[in-house]
Amino acid sequence: MSLDKYSLKMPKAVYSGKDSLNRIPGIIHANGFTKIAAFTDKSLRKLGLFDLVEKRIEDTGLPYEIFDDLPAEPTYMAVQAVIDQFKTTGCDVIVACGGGSVMDAAKLASVLVTDEYGVKDLLDDPLQARKCVPVIMIPTTAGTGAECTPNAIVGVPERELKIGIVNDNLIADFVILDAELIRNLPRSIAAATGVDALCHAIECYTSNKSNPFSDMFALEAFDLIMNSIEKACDDPSALNEKNRMQIAAFYAGAAITASGTTAVHALSYPLGGKYHIAHGVSNAMLLIPVMKFNEPACREKFVEAWDRAYHGEETLNTPEEKSQALIAWMERIVKHLEIPTDLKQFGVDPADLDSLVEAGMSVQRLLVNNMREVTPEDARKIYQEVLK
Ligand SMILES: NC(=O)c1ccc[n+]([C@@H]2O[C@H](COP(=O)([O-])OP(=O)(O)OC[C@H]3O[C@@H](n4cnc5c(N)ncnc54)[C@H](O)[C@@H]3O)[C@@H](O)[C@H]2O)c1
Ligand SMILES: [Zn+2]
């Protein structure tokens, strides 16, 4: 443990389990809210998923407006455009129903009912944001943990990067984790978003910023994910495993809040920003190469993670055996889930390596958390692993 100061910040209340969506009217009335802004996206409306939430919003008897003009993994301009529609409506609570993209936009809206600054200004100075409107988060993917973190991530096309805006005022107020919302999540999205949560757990556990608070959430999330992700993705009726993934994603978000992700997320940002590879997919690609690179520096932590999560019969004795077995297990999971692991199929050319390395190395906010120092040469080798 390298830090002697650490903290735990959380939403005010988290509801989960059967029919937890029914909590919506109670939360709204108990807090005296009078007009509701519902954030979602068009495909969730088309799928009828948002209807589950809208029904409970109708049950409140209060006026509401829907904001669904949000593309997946939006740029800061797309988020600002939705906020500009929202901020004149007088809504005093936001209900966000969606994946990380919708939740991040809702979080930014919650601090931007003002003309003093916009999303672009927060990219330069995130700490100026103050909470204006409380948020109820209802994730429809089990991955990002955005319902728990103080982060909002937006695309910045002029820098060909995705950038995280971090401010404690972005932490949601209420969270509802209802497995009905991820029951029909397509396997490929469940897999990529689930591996994103896996990355959050193992990166935070092996981060230079790890501490007793983050370790508690990161290890529990890791155990839950390693033992639930395959069934949750493969079997649409596995509601228990799906609920475990929701809880794990939330815990992994708590681990991010108390600690921080490392080189997987750092090197993944340019893949999202420049090549528009989905966040979970680019993390899944980099997870194993980065874990192999990190192994010598993180062995002790990998052994602890193995001891905590592995409940099988195999007996391993040496730290190196356990550490290698842990990486091999994660590799089997990524393979089983059939997440693409080759950058070439996304149009990345080996000639792009220089610019990728430069962009990845610019994410020092996260690279400094990595237990093994990452040099530009190391970053190049890691990218080369997925550009074969
Ligand atoms: N704020 C944070 O702490 C944090 C952490 C990690 C990632 N992120 C960000 O979150 C975004 C990614 O979020 P995501 O991985 O949840 O995906 P997403 O929100 O981008 O959604 C991906 C696609 O899945 C669809 N979808 C979502 N839920 C569905 C469901 N239940 N059934 C069918 N389709 C569904 C969406 O409509 C969308 O088309 C990225 O921008 C990433 O950078 C934020
Ligand atoms: Zn992530």
Side-chain angles (χ1 to χ4, degrees):
M1 198 196 317
S2 58
L3 284 186
D4 58 2
K5 280 186 189 162
Y6 32 92
S7 60
L8 186 59
K9 294 163 195 154
M10 285 271 174
K12 283 187 199 129
V14 189
Y15 303 97
S16 191
K18 197 168 162 33
D19 296 330
S20 41
L21 276 184
N22 289 343
R23 299 274 189 172
I24 294 173
I27 299 170
I28 303 264
H29 288 308
N31 287 279
F33 301 130
T34 59
K35 186 174 180 190
I36 301 161
F39 277 55
T40 188
D41 71 31
K42 288 203 164 46
S43 70
L44 293 173
R45 286 190 83 180
K46 212 181 279 169
L47 288 167
L49 213 55
F50 175 71
D51 293 352
L52 300 175
V53 171
E54 188 171 18
K55 185 182 166 308
R56 273 67 171 202
I57 291 177
E58 279 168 357
D59 289 345
T60 66
L62 294 173
Y64 65 95
E65 295 199 25
I66 299 171
F67 302 89
D68 65 359
D69 217 356
L70 276 166
E73 311 220 3
T75 62
Y76 71 88
M77 296 89 92
V79 173
Q80 187 65 54
V82 173
I83 292 175
D84 288 341
Q85 294 168 26
F86 151 79
K87 71 182 180 190
T88 57
T89 57
C91 293
D92 55 8
V93 61
I94 297 173
V95 176
C97 165
S101 300
V102 168
M103 290 193 281
D104 282 355
K107 288 159 89 167
L108 288 167
S110 78
V111 299
L112 285 170
V113 190
T114 171
D115 292 326
E116 281 171 43
Y117 44 83
V119 185
K120 190 169 196 299
D121 304 300
L122 296 188
L123 289 168
D124 300 328
D125 179 9
L127 294 181
Q128 64 188 305
R130 294 284 168 270
K131 176 98 73 175
C132 313
V133 174
V135 185
I136 304 172
M137 286 290 182
I138 308 174
T140 62
T141 56
T144 67
E147 67 279 12
C148 190
T149 69
N151 308 356
I153 297 163
V154 289
V156 183
E158 59 270 34
R159 292 185 56 190
E160 296 187 323
L161 259 184
K162 297 191 70 181
I163 294 185
I165 297 170
V166 186
N167 178 320
D168 290 347
N169 289 292
L170 294 172
I171 294 178
D173 298 270
F174 303 94
V175 177
I176 298 177
L177 305 174
D178 190 324
E180 279 305 322
L181 288 165
I182 61 165
R183 181 194 280 274
N184 298 314
L185 189 61
R187 185 174 187 268
S188 60
I189 301 178
T193 53
V195 172
D196 185 27
L198 176 62
C199 294
H200 297 162
I202 195 69
E203 286 179 76
C204 289
Y205 192 60
T206 55
S207 167
N208 281 329
K209 285 192 185 152
S210 74
N211 61 70
F213 291 157
S214 64
D215 283 355
M216 179 178 76
F217 287 102
L219 259 193
E220 178 64 11
F222 186 75
D223 184 3
L224 284 167
I225 296 166
M226 293 297 280
N227 293 292
S228 315
I229 189 168
E230 288 166 305
K231 187 149 193 231
C233 292
D234 294 349
D235 178 358
S237 68
L239 280 192
N240 279 339
E241 281 73 14
K242 287 173 192 284
N243 191 223
R244 272 187 216 127
M245 286 300 297
Q246 289 180 305
I247 290 169
F250 178 86
Y251 285 172
I256 293 181
T257 310
S259 169
T261 54
T262 61
V264 177
H265 270 69
L267 299 182
S268 162
Y269 274 126
L271 300 178
K274 184 165 183 186
Y275 301 99
H276 307 291
I277 303 174
H279 178 76
V281 173
S282 56
N283 287 330
M285 275 181 188
L286 292 166
L287 174 65
I288 303 305
V290 171
M291 291 298 116
K292 287 182 178 166
F293 171 79
N294 278 354
E295 198 275 337
C298 299
R299 187 169 297 167
E300 212 177 301
K301 284 270 181 156
F302 284 168
V303 170
E304 288 164 3
W306 170 266
D307 286 340
R308 171 65 175 265
Y310 181 69
H311 308 300
E313 300 295 317
E314 201 175 348
T315 310
L316 299 175
N317 297 312
T318 68
E320 192 177 355
E321 275 174 355
K322 289 184 180 182
S323 178
Q324 295 295 351
L326 187 84
I327 297 173
W329 186 13
M330 288 191 274
E331 196 164 14
R332 280 198 303 280
I333 287 178
V334 174
K335 204 164 178 201
H336 172 91
L337 295 173
E338 298 167 303
I339 306 172
T341 48
D342 182 359
L343 272 180
K344 278 212 181 107
Q345 68 195 90
F346 294 96
V348 184
D349 195 274
D352 301 343
L353 257 177
D354 284 347
S355 66
L356 260 181
V357 170
E358 194 186 332
M361 289 304 295
S362 76
V363 190
Q364 285 296 320
R365 175 175 80 84
L366 303 181
L367 284 175
V368 295
N369 297 344
N370 205 64
M371 275 188 176
R372 181 169 174 192
E373 190 195 346
V374 182
T375 65
E377 202 37 53
D378 298 326
R380 172 182 295 274
K381 283 192 194 132
I382 290 167
Y383 283 129
Q384 272 168 340
E385 289 276 315
V386 286
L387 242 179
K388 279 178 184 155

